[in-house]
Every structure is written in C-alpha cells, then in structure tokens.
Amino acid sequence: LQAGRAVGNAWGAQLTTGTGTAQPQGVATAASAGVTGEATVFAPTFDNLIDLFHSVIAPYRMSASCGWLLNDATVAGIRKLKDGDGQYIWQPSVQLGAPDQILSKPVHVDVSMASAAADEKTVLFGDFSTYFARQVNEIRFESSTDFAFNTDMTTFRCIVRGGGVQADTTGAIKAYVSGAAS
C-alpha cells in the first residue's frame, strides 16, 4: 500500500509540475498566465480569481471538466478572504459529497501545486479535460538482494513510463501567477 501511494504521489507531482524534459509536461508548467498578481503580493485576491475565471474563454469555462487546482495553503488563504462586512466570501459546501466551489466551479486540491511565493503559478483554472496523461507499458516493480548486499537488505524500485501534455494550448487552462518580489 505504501509503495503504491509513493509511486502515485511521485507520478502525480510530475503530471502537475513536470518540466517536459525527461519528465511529463506538467499541467501547471503548460498553463499560460491568465492573471499576474501585484508586486510583492503573492496570494490571490478574490478579484484576481474573478479575473482568472474570465481569462478562460466561455466554451472551456462552461465545460463540466472546468475547475480550480490549488494546494491546501492557497485554499486556506482564499477561505480567509472577507467582504467589507467581515463575512467570509467563500462558503464551503455543506452538502455531503458535493465539492467546494469557487464561482460555481469545483475546487481540487493538489499538494504539488506551488505555494504563495514570487513568480509562482499558485492557482490553475480551466478545462482539465484538455490535459492528457498516458502510461506506456505496465508498471514494473523489481527487487534486488544484491544491490544493498553489504547492508543485508532487499531493495525495491518501481519503473513507470508515461507522459503528459496540454493538448489545447489556446488557453483552456490559465494560471494565477504570484507577484514578483521587489
């Protein structure tokens, strides 16, 4: 169970932030900038999220596959945003099984998304059905009693071959890019 979780987490991290060179092109790497935050302001404002929402063209924005992707720290920051009366802007779902939503689109949490820092893509929004991941061949698990012979241990490795690519580069998925440091 632990090995499977570790492999899944590592593969997922590459599908999110992979460079596209000797690893999959991550969805965050492929996303074009939709909104850039103000200098030295690294967390998005609710106005930034509205602008990001509208930076994705309507056919993608209205898709059932459209949503938000961000990490837990960014979710926590957005949840703390308040209106002029001190009321929280984002009200999480109270219905069992229903995802939290921002501007009527589901929020998905991914630990591999960047946290608030200068020039980071911290929030993605768009139609995630336009990103394709593939696995080539089967997943191989191998063991060796010789590799760590001097420690009297058996070593294991897992080999996963695959790739990921943003198929529609016209802006189906856009990013909020944190402000630059001064």
Side-chain angles (χ1 to χ4, degrees):
L1 178 66
Q2 286 301 105
R5 183 174 290 141
V7 169
N9 287 342
W11 180 239
Q14 288 196 1
L15 291 175
T16 302
T17 60
T19 63
T21 304
Q23 20 178 265
Q25 178 191 47
V27 67
T29 307
S32 59
V35 174
T36 301
E38 294 179 33
T40 70
V41 178
F42 303 143
T45 65
F46 206 75
D47 287 348
N48 291 146
L49 297 178
I50 292 169
D51 290 341
L52 182 58
F53 181 91
H54 288 284
S55 73
V56 173
I57 62 173
Y60 293 124
R61 207 172 50 232
M62 295 185 306
S63 166
S65 304
C66 187
W68 302 89
L69 187 67
L70 48 163
N71 71 19
D72 275 313
T74 306
V75 169
I78 293 169
R79 279 192 143 145
K80 293 174 187 173
L81 295 175
K82 296 178 182 176
D83 64 17
D85 295 325
Q87 299 297 313
Y88 290 107
I89 294 171
W90 178 13
Q91 298 296 320
S93 175
V94 293
Q95 183 178 2
L96 182 64
D100 288 341
Q101 296 185 350
I102 298 174
L103 300 172
S104 302
K105 292 296 179 181
V107 175
H108 306 285
V109 176
D110 184 334
V111 298
S112 300
M113 285 294 293
S115 292
D119 297 317
E120 290 288 344
K121 293 179 180 178
T122 59
V123 179
L124 299 182
F125 176 73
D127 184 350
F128 288 89
S129 72
T130 63
Y131 180 82
F132 291 92
R134 71 182 182 114
Q135 178 183 320
V136 180
N137 298 325
E138 67 280 347
I139 297 174
R140 282 189 356 229
F141 283 96
E142 298 175 348
S143 65
S144 173
T145 55
D146 299 326
F147 179 76
F149 183 76
N150 61 336
T151 61
D152 198 27
M153 294 175 64
T154 301
T155 56
F156 298 90
R157 74 175 177 174
C158 177
I159 300 170
V160 178
R161 287 192 60 226
V165 67
Q166 177 62 42
D168 188 334
T169 58
T170 62
I173 300 174
K174 297 280 188 110
Y176 167 79
V177 181
S178 298
S182 26

